[in-house]
Amino acid sequence: MSKIYVYLLLGLSIIFSFSCDYIKNKENAFSITFSHSQISHGTYITALIQHSQNSFDSVKFSIDTVSLLFPYSSSNSYQIPTSALTLGKKNITTNIYESGQTYSFSNAITVVSDITPVYPKYTVLNTYNHAIDAYTQGLEFSGDSLYESTGIKGESSLRLVQYKKGSILKKIDVLPEYFGEGLTILHDIVYQITWQAQTGFMYDKASFRQIGTFSYGTEGWGLCNDGTFLIMSDGSEFLYFYNPETFSLVKQIAVYDNAGPVSQLNELEYVQGYIYANVYTTNFIVKIDAATGKVVQRINFSNILDKAYMHDNIDVLNGIAWHKTNNTFFITGKRWPILFEIQIQDSVAESKPLM
């Protein structure tokens, strides 16, 4: 190898090293701070950019699919709106442009709901007997017919219940290796999911004949539908919207109140643009805006079941069904002896601290 070639390589490596060091030093010359690490949806984030030279050409902020380009401002301050963002944890990518160079930075923020949930009162209208062997995981009306999915391996089932008498009109058992979870009914098909097997079952509503299976990529907890999509929870703060024909994931939304994420979302019921969800291990049901994921109500059922009905195998509140004709809700719990018909008094509510 000639000395000239060696010198050439050495020179190029020095230039490359100098260039990298120059860019790195330039990046270090920028200081970026944001006014909030957690911010309410709809408010502005203030970005403050300081630079040793006090000038650059422009800056672009990218969050989700939203990108905003600003020319250099002598105030060093930039207002970033959040109204077009979804809720949840976000990454802000900042690209600063100066003399043909791009300097990139990454920061994390969390967008929470701008709504403080209210705590509405409710009225118990009727009580009915409920099978205490039913480890209730899903509950839904089709007309005046109540369908129930139960859990526990070896005990899981799909049931048609005569709720006024507390009797079971029809029942099929799920294979013992599966732990039954939520159910929903769409176009005369009953969809039932399972907990950790990532497998769901489809049944003819009239006969309970199994007509298919489907799969999903998370645990299965609760299930409902909005007339178009199957909506599933997995115990996290996310709700997943699936195409019922292809079972492909269409979208997901994060569920937040004004304090942060609301997780442990279990049994679900869709009602007129809102999703009602049991919060597992608690006595709360939350009302969620299905379009935004914002929690607008927290309904406390701590004292609904009298202590006289407690027994050794009783478990937590779980099960929500909306009776469209009556415009009432039916709620129960895992191995609860009572099914409650209630009216939620949306107009009588007050804000309270989170519990």
Side-chain angles (χ1 to χ4, degrees):
M1 182 181 295
S2 69
K3 291 183 178 180
I4 294 176
Y5 186 67
V6 171
Y7 291 147
L8 179 61
L9 288 177
L10 180 60
L12 288 173
S13 66
I14 292 173
I15 292 170
F16 178 76
S17 176
F18 175 79
S19 176
C20 290
D21 288 342
Y22 175 78
I23 292 173
K24 183 176 181 180
N25 289 334
K26 290 289 286 184
E27 288 179 342
N28 290 338
F30 290 100
S31 172
I32 304 177
T33 56
F34 290 92
S35 57
H36 301 81
S37 60
Q38 177 170 297
I39 192 164
S40 295
H41 184 255
T43 58
Y44 282 80
I45 305 170
T46 300
L48 183 64
I49 301 178
Q50 294 179 318
H51 182 220
S52 60
Q53 302 301 316
N54 292 322
S55 135
F56 50 86
D57 299 328
S58 60
V59 58
K60 182 171 73 174
F61 301 98
S62 298
I63 315 173
D64 286 344
T65 59
V66 177
S67 292
L68 298 167
L69 183 65
F70 296 90
Y72 168 75
S73 170
S74 59
S75 70
N76 297 321
S77 180
Y78 303 87
Q79 299 293 309
I80 306 169
T82 64
S83 57
L85 302 179
T86 57
L87 303 181
K89 297 177 181 178
K90 310 291 175 186
N91 184 67
I92 302 180
T93 300
T94 305
N95 288 324
I96 299 174
Y97 304 103
E98 181 190 34
S99 302
Q101 295 288 340
T102 302
Y103 306 99
S104 296
F105 305 86
S106 182
N107 297 84
I109 63 162
T110 301
V111 181
V112 302
S113 174
D114 55 327
I115 297 173
T116 300
V118 295
Y119 286 64
K121 298 178 181 180
Y122 64 89
T123 301
V124 175
L125 303 177
N126 291 295
T127 59
Y128 305 100
N129 291 331
H130 179 249
I132 62 171
D133 71 330
Y135 192 83
T136 306
Q137 302 288 67
L139 205 63
E140 186 165 305
F141 276 102
S142 178
D144 198 44
S145 299
L146 183 61
Y147 293 78
E148 183 171 16
S149 172
T150 68
I152 301 294
K153 288 184 178 181
E155 300 178 22
S156 298
S157 66
L158 172 65
R159 305 177 180 198
L160 174 61
V161 179
Q162 167 46 274
Y163 70 89
K164 291 182 179 179
K165 296 181 179 179
S167 58
I168 300 170
L169 300 177
K170 190 179 297 183
K171 175 187 172 185
I172 61 166
D173 293 325
V174 176
L175 291 173
E177 61 264 33
Y178 293 105
F179 192 119
E181 288 284 348
L183 70 76
T184 195
I185 303 164
L186 181 62
H187 306 314
D188 292 329
I189 298 174
V190 180
Y191 296 85
Q192 182 186 35
I193 55 176
T194 59
W195 180 24
Q196 294 177 315
Q198 300 182 335
T199 299
F201 302 102
M202 302 161 60
Y203 307 91
D204 175 77
K205 187 181 76 171
S207 66
F208 275 22
R209 178 176 61 89
Q210 185 179 322
I211 57 176
T213 61
F214 58 98
S215 60
Y216 39 89
T218 65
E219 288 188 356
W221 284 41
L223 192 66
C224 66
N225 76 86
D226 60 2
T228 301
F229 301 118
L230 303 178
I231 305 170
M232 190 173 78
S233 64
D234 66 350
S236 69
E237 71 270 29
F238 293 104
L239 294 174
Y240 305 89
F241 291 67
Y242 286 94
N243 183 313
E245 297 180 358
T246 64
F247 303 105
S248 59
L249 181 63
V250 177
K251 66 175 180 177
Q252 68 184 52
I253 62 171
V255 177
Y256 274 69
D257 60 20
N258 59 313
V262 179
S263 60
Q264 297 288 90
L265 301 174
N266 202 3
E267 220 275 283
L268 307 176
E269 182 78 359
Y270 181 90
V271 182
Q272 299 175 335
Y274 293 92
I275 298 168
Y276 291 78
N278 283 109
V279 180
Y280 184 53
T281 73
T282 79
N283 291 309
F284 283 99
I285 290 176
V286 292
K287 181 181 180 180
I288 304 159
D289 187 318
T292 65
K294 297 178 182 180
V295 174
V296 298
Q297 290 182 356
R298 294 171 66 93
I299 310 148
N300 188 349
F301 293 100
S302 293
N303 299 315
I304 194 168
L305 186 65
D306 192 277
K307 292 181 179 180
Y309 292 110
M310 299 295 179
H311 59 87
D312 290 343
N313 293 320
I314 205 164
D315 212 316
V316 297
L317 176 78
N318 202 45
I320 318 165
W322 180 55
H323 195 295
K324 184 176 181 180
T325 302
N326 296 349
N327 193 26
T328 57
F329 287 89
F330 286 67
I331 66 169
T332 190
K334 302 170 189 281
R335 300 194 178 113
W336 281 26
I338 300 294
L339 175 70
F340 297 90
E341 183 179 9
I342 65 167
Q343 184 78 58
I344 298 172
Q345 302 172 21
D346 285 359
S347 61
V348 182
E350 59 178 331
S351 297
K352 292 184 179 180
L354 298 178
M355 297 177 66

